[in-house]
Amino acid sequence: MRSPIAFATSFKCPVRIYCGSQEWFFIASSERTSDLAGKRGLDVRAIVAPGDHFSAVPEEIRESIEFFRTK
C-alpha cells in the first residue's frame, strides 16, 4: 500500500491525519506529511488529540465529524 509521507504531494482532496498525543512514533511522520503537502498548497493537516491509540479515538471522531460538516 501507499505510504502517506511518500506521496504527500499526491492528495486530491482535503485530508486530516489524526493521532494521539501519546503516539510519539506517529506524530513526527504525520506532521512531516502535512508539511510536505502544505508546501504544495494542499489542504492536509496533522491533528494531535489527547491520549493514546485507543483513548484518543472519541476526540478524533468528534473532530472528523466537525471537519466533514464544514466541507
Side-chain angles (χ1 to χ4, degrees):
M1 297 305 295
R2 293 172 45 154
S3 166
I5 199 165
F7 296 91
T9 61
S10 298
F11 290 110
K12 303 293 183 205
C13 63
V15 174
R16 297 300 177 265
I17 306 167
Y18 296 98
C19 59
S21 61
Q22 295 174 19
E23 297 179 283
W24 54 267
F25 41 90
F26 290 132
I27 294 172
S29 62
S30 297
E31 290 177 345
R32 178 72 176 139
T33 300
S34 175
D35 290 344
L36 291 169
K39 289 178 181 174
R40 294 298 280 283
L42 301 175
D43 184 5
V44 176
R45 294 195 186 111
I47 310 289
V48 179
D52 62 23
H53 191 68
F54 299 104
S55 63
V57 171
E59 178 64 18
E60 293 165 341
I61 291 172
R62 187 194 67 70
E63 289 192 31
S64 66
I65 290 170
E66 185 60 30
F67 169 71
F68 282 107
R69 282 188 178 150
T70 61
K71 291 296 171 188

